[in-house]
Amino acid sequence: MSTTHAPGSRTAGPARAARCGQPHGSGAFPTASARRRWWLTFLAVSALALLSCLGLLAWDNPMEPGTRGFWLIAQRRANAVVAVVVVAVCQAMATVAFQTVTGNRILTPSIMGFEALYRTIHTSTVFFLGAAGLTAARTTTTFVGQLLLMVAMCLLLYSWLLTSRGATLHAMLLLGVVIGAGLGSVATFMQRLLTPSEFDVLTARLFGSVNNADPDYYPIALPMVALGALTLALWSRRLNVLALGRETATSLGLSHRRWSVAVLVVVSVLMATSTALVGPMTFLGFLVSTLAYQLSGTFDHRYVMPMAMSLGVLVLTGAYFLMHHVFSAQGVVSIIIELVGGLTFLVVILRKGRL
């Protein structure tokens, strides 16, 4: 009996699909052209982000290039660029991982009350110590204290989720919303009792801005961010499994609850570092994660996370470059990002059935 297969038979299918660029495997991308498209997009976004960073360092520098004054100014600007990169990495990695664990592309880690706790800490400082106390409190000890408070609050929620049989992830998220709302109400009450001058000083601090970052915090913040980002990158395959849902992940031998808590702990460290360093950035993570999924063409975290980080750096550095060097309005960068992110959030909500 002849074993020769006809050109249109099942055996010839993969070869023909490969020649036609049709799906032929179960990898991260359906076709080789989709993989090439991701690499081209990623390299283009990364190149633009790098150019924006160089622009922030060298553009409109009043000193002659190569002189000592030029490098001193560039070094001062480099502190802001480092803060931008740290915030972009934290927001991008934390938001993508958080959305995977919660199984919802709408939620962001800010739902856990980080920003409300940040506002409460700074409002309490001004309320009890005055505006001078807020300036005097910009120390490494205060920065570490904020980190510990934010992480401790989340660890209490996560330990309850892990140890209580009746606890669910949705109940924990709802509890986080309630805690955030309560802290926000306390901060608002204290703000109403401040003098106008104290309220102005506090308001400037509550806006997310790289100007809030102190280079003295970097020896603490940078290792934490690097370790957290590396951990999530190494767990990218497990995140792929978690994204399949509780039942599927459990059937594949992965403890969904324990790995969800582990991921949330790393997310809390990244978000606490970002918030304590520069202040609240509510919609930045949502904006870059949404764009990353749209541009990646895959749900594989090995490709979505790098794209989200590059987009985060590009969005922040590009916004600061345009607002500072073109419109001379650097202070409104966070407002513009929040506005664009909020509009994107509304668009996703309205198109949820088609995304």
Side-chain angles (χ1 to χ4, degrees), residues 7-354:
S9 65
R10 184 184 302 269
T11 305
R16 184 173 64 255
R19 292 194 301 269
C20 298
Q22 297 175 351
H24 56 274
S26 58
F29 298 96
T31 63
S33 61
R35 182 184 296 273
R36 288 194 299 269
R37 185 164 56 250
W38 183 91
W39 276 107
L40 291 175
T41 305
F42 175 71
L43 292 176
V45 171
S46 301
L48 290 175
L50 180 60
L51 288 176
S52 298
C53 292
L54 294 177
L56 289 178
L57 292 174
W59 189 269
D60 201 22
N61 193 321
M63 307 301 293
E64 290 292 331
T67 62
R68 184 174 182 273
F70 177 89
W71 291 113
L72 288 176
I73 294 176
Q75 182 179 3
R76 293 192 61 183
R77 293 181 176 182
N79 293 329
V81 173
V82 171
V84 166
V85 174
V86 169
V87 172
V89 171
C90 289
Q91 294 281 343
M93 298 286 285
T95 303
V96 172
F98 186 83
Q99 291 177 346
T100 297
V101 170
T102 58
N104 193 313
R105 297 253 304 272
I106 303 298
L107 297 178
T108 62
S110 59
I111 197 175
M112 299 308 300
F114 291 108
E115 297 168 4
L117 181 59
Y118 177 86
R119 288 194 296 268
T120 304
I121 291 173
H122 285 275
T123 303
S124 302
T125 303
V126 176
F127 183 80
F128 291 108
L129 303 178
L134 184 62
T135 304
R138 294 194 64 178
T139 61
T140 305
T141 303
T142 305
F143 176 74
V144 174
Q146 292 182 37
L147 285 177
L148 293 178
L149 282 176
M150 293 179 186
V151 175
M153 181 184 70
C154 290
L155 289 180
L156 288 176
L157 295 177
Y158 302 155
S159 60
W160 170 71
L161 173 65
L162 188 62
T163 57
S164 177
R165 291 187 176 182
T168 63
L169 184 61
H170 295 89
M172 187 201 70
L173 295 176
L174 182 59
L175 185 59
V177 172
V178 173
I179 292 175
L183 291 175
S185 299
V186 172
T188 302
F189 173 75
M190 289 189 291
Q191 290 171 11
R192 289 183 176 275
L193 301 179
L194 298 177
T195 63
S197 59
E198 291 174 340
F199 183 77
D200 289 341
V201 173
L202 175 64
T203 302
R205 182 61 61 86
L206 294 183
F207 279 111
S209 174
V210 296
N211 295 326
N212 295 333
D214 192 330
D216 293 338
Y217 301 159
Y218 292 163
I220 300 173
L222 293 181
M224 294 180 63
V225 173
L227 181 60
L230 180 61
T231 300
L232 290 181
L234 294 176
W235 290 352
S236 58
R237 294 182 182 274
R238 291 186 174 90
L239 287 171
N240 291 340
V241 178
L242 290 176
L244 299 176
R246 180 185 299 273
E247 291 78 9
T248 305
T250 303
S251 65
L252 292 175
L254 190 70
S255 177
H256 187 275
R257 173 175 286 195
R258 291 186 179 276
W259 276 105
S260 296
V261 171
V263 171
L264 289 174
V265 169
V266 179
V267 168
S268 67
V269 172
L270 292 176
M271 288 300 300
T273 304
S274 172
T275 305
L277 188 65
V278 302
M281 291 277 186
T282 306
F283 287 109
L284 175 63
F286 174 80
L287 176 63
V288 298
S289 66
T290 301
L291 293 176
Y293 278 110
Q294 295 295 322
L295 295 179
S296 295
T298 179
F299 294 97
D300 195 326
H301 290 76
R302 293 174 297 172
Y303 298 94
V304 174
M305 285 183 172
M307 182 70 75
M309 287 191 292
S310 295
L311 284 169
V313 176
L314 175 60
V315 168
L316 277 180
T317 55
Y320 272 98
F321 182 85
L322 289 176
M323 300 307 296
H324 181 65
H325 295 292
V326 178
F327 300 104
S328 300
Q330 183 177 355
V332 300
V333 170
S334 61
I335 301 176
I336 299 299
I337 291 177
E338 297 301 291
L339 176 62
V340 175
L343 291 176
T344 306
F345 181 83
L346 292 177
V347 171
V348 172
I349 288 292
L350 294 175
R351 298 182 56 197
K352 183 178 180 181
R354 291 182 287 160

